[in-house]
Amino acid sequence: NIPTVCMQSFDLDFPLGLTSYITASELGSYLAQYADHFDLRRLIRFGSRVTGVRPVKSEEEDCAGESAWEVSWDASSSDQQGGDASAQSEEFEAVVVASGHYEFPYRPEIPGQSDWLASSSERQVVHAISYDDPDEFSGRSVLVVGGRSSG
């Protein structure tokens, strides 16, 4: 998660009143608003499975800004008018791969962590994804490890 000022698109601001770090639901609402604002839903293929992506142009053409990609997918019956899934293919100028890399938090075991946790039932290790309320830690000693954006 990163601050909204870093995350929002240059051509559509987040709604006023949101906190700097928003929830997944708020981000989803922003993306839906973006799609509606720019009439993009007609271009989205929901419920489809991408089966292939390959460059159409040469590396030289790509470096010159003439990118093109052929994307193949199996269209779901919701994309078809009452039909079954079928193979589709189309050419695009760009491809975004959103694999969900940050969907699950990374929690490496720190040397000595198990012994430290076992020495007191009040000790805990919490990932930023589970942190919502500072009151939970009021009056306690807290060590923050890390400094990157986290999911």
Side-chain angles (χ1 to χ4, degrees):
N1 201 3
I2 57 175
T4 54
V5 295
C6 299
M7 192 181 337
Q8 74 183 13
S9 179
F10 70 91
D11 51 3
L12 184 68
D13 290 343
F14 276 99
L16 293 175
L18 292 178
T19 60
S20 182
Y21 289 88
I22 59 173
T23 65
S25 176
E26 290 167 331
L27 179 58
S29 294
Y30 173 75
L31 293 174
Q33 177 187 6
Y34 190 94
D36 292 340
H37 183 82
F38 293 103
D39 191 30
L40 300 175
R41 286 187 191 254
R42 63 188 171 79
L43 302 172
I44 299 171
R45 307 296 185 266
F46 292 104
S48 298
R49 186 176 65 88
V50 174
T51 57
V53 177
R54 70 172 190 84
V56 175
K57 303 280 185 169
S58 70
E59 196 170 327
E60 292 79 19
E61 290 171 308
D62 188 50
C63 289
E66 302 173 26
S67 298
W69 299 85
E70 180 183 51
V71 179
S72 303
W73 68 93
D74 288 335
S76 69
S77 56
S78 63
D79 263 353
Q80 309 286 314
Q81 296 298 329
D84 291 329
S86 63
Q88 304 277 326
S89 184
E90 195 170 336
E91 196 171 293
F92 298 91
E93 293 176 5
V95 173
V96 175
V97 177
S99 64
H101 176 73
Y102 291 108
E103 183 176 358
F104 301 103
Y106 175 59
R107 294 183 177 138
E109 175 88 16
I110 298 170
Q113 177 178 321
S114 295
D115 292 337
W116 180 81
L117 285 168
S119 69
S120 172
S121 62
E122 293 188 20
R123 292 180 173 175
Q124 61 180 325
V125 174
V126 178
H127 189 278
I129 198 169
S130 302
Y131 174 80
D132 290 318
D133 185 5
D135 292 341
E136 178 183 350
F137 301 98
S138 179
R140 298 177 68 185
S141 295
V142 175
L143 170 65
V144 177
V145 177
R148 290 184 39 177
S149 302
S150 61

